Amino acid sequence: MIPVYIIVAIDSKSGIGKGGRLPWHLTGDLKHFRELTCKTHSPKKKNIVLMGRKTWDSIPKEYRPLNERINIVLTHNKYLDVPEGVLKAENFDQVLTMTKSERLKNIIETVFVIGGQQVYEEALKYPECQKIYVTQIHQAFGCDVFFRDFKDRFVKTKESTRHNEGPLNYHFEEYELKSN
Ligand SMILES: NC(=O)c1ccc[n+]([C@@H]2O[C@H](COP(=O)([O-])OP(=O)(O)OC[C@H]3O[C@@H](n4cnc5c(N)ncnc54)[C@H](OP(=O)(O)O)[C@@H]3O)[C@@H](O)[C@H]2O)c1
């Protein structure tokens, strides 16, 4: 089974976005995101970054698709126009089926679910989703999308020291699905 991991940055009120974008800019978090989602144990493999159509729309055109990773956009719109090499899926089950296909099964290492709210909620329903990488930001931003409480089902396994960038503070955490 290909592991499915969530990666998310959350503010102090569980907010993850505002007005269709991220309301903060944290260079250290972007670096952490890139390192985690690009890194593979096997040099022959790549990771999938799975995102909702609104998150895809929120990435500036010059930065998408996210390089060195296989981008999959979840959308109900089969006419959505995406650049060559970017894959589309109509639901989460279809993504799991794609990872088992002849085309992808030997070249995929991990599926990273990278947002937004709707897609995180979908992913959390699946037992395949074993791990959550959280960037916990210590300030609040008046967000309009949120990451729902997950701590009853997941246990914290790692916590970094605190990082400071300008007026903002944050730290990294890792959670794993409880065994039962
Ligand atoms: N803090 C973080 O780590 C983080 C990470 C990513 C995004 N964000 C923020 O989150 C916000 C976007 O989140 P969002 O919830 O509004 O949108 P989203 O989850 O990015 O995208 C929602 C869209 O994805 C498609 N979709 C969702 N579930 C689907 C399913 N089961 N099957 C098929 N398609 C599905 C639909 O696209 P169609 O309408 O095309 O059918 C839906 O409108 C933005 O503010 C963004 O900046 C934050």
Side-chain angles (χ1 to χ4, degrees):
M1 188 171 78
I2 291 185
V4 177
Y5 299 156
I6 281 176
I7 180 162
V8 60
I10 309 178
D11 82 0
S12 63
K13 299 231 162 99
S14 303
I16 61 165
K18 187 178 182 181
R21 51 180 287 276
L22 291 181
W24 51 77
H25 179 83
L26 291 170
T27 308
D29 184 47
L30 292 174
K31 184 166 175 276
H32 176 76
F33 175 86
R34 184 178 161 71
E35 282 171 2
L36 267 178
T37 57
C38 287
K39 188 179 72 185
T40 54
H41 295 290
S42 164
K44 292 185 187 145
K45 292 192 174 182
K46 284 188 172 178
N47 296 322
I48 286 173
V49 281
L50 171 65
M51 69 199 92
R53 193 263 308 157
K54 292 184 184 172
T55 294
W56 169 262
D57 284 346
S58 78
I59 303 172
K61 282 204 168 92
E62 62 271 32
Y63 295 121
R64 70 185 204 209
L66 300 181
N67 61 11
E68 297 172 36
R69 292 148 284 186
I70 295 174
N71 289 226
I72 303 185
V73 181
L74 216 50
T75 178
H76 302 102
N77 174 7
K78 52 177 178 287
Y79 302 108
L80 181 74
D81 193 23
V82 290
E84 207 185 324
V86 174
L87 305 176
K88 293 184 287 182
E90 286 175 15
N91 52 55
F92 202 79
D93 283 323
Q94 198 185 352
V95 175
L96 296 178
T97 305
M98 284 160 91
T99 65
K100 294 173 195 146
S101 67
E102 282 306 316
R103 181 180 169 196
L104 292 182
K105 71 176 183 195
N106 295 319
I107 59 162
I108 299 302
E109 199 161 287
T110 302
V111 177
F112 282 97
V113 179
I114 66 162
Q117 176 180 273
Q118 285 183 37
V119 174
Y120 288 138
E121 282 181 10
E122 188 71 16
L124 281 167
K125 292 180 197 154
Y126 282 77
E128 286 84 351
C129 181
Q130 296 278 325
K131 200 164 180 174
I132 308 178
Y133 290 94
V134 174
T135 302
Q136 183 61 62
I137 302 168
H138 300 189
Q139 286 76 20
F141 292 83
C143 289
D144 55 20
V145 281
F146 297 89
F147 195 80
R148 78 167 168 80
D149 190 35
F150 60 97
K151 291 180 185 167
D152 55 333
R153 291 178 52 228
F154 287 80
V155 61
K156 196 195 289 180
T157 51
K158 275 191 192 163
E159 182 166 337
S160 77
T161 54
R162 177 183 165 123
H163 299 253
N164 305 309
E165 260 186 62
L168 302 184
N169 322 107
Y170 60 98
H171 66 273
F172 301 116
E173 297 177 341
E174 288 180 31
Y175 291 82
E176 283 178 23
L177 189 63
K178 290 180 185 168
S179 37
N180 52 42

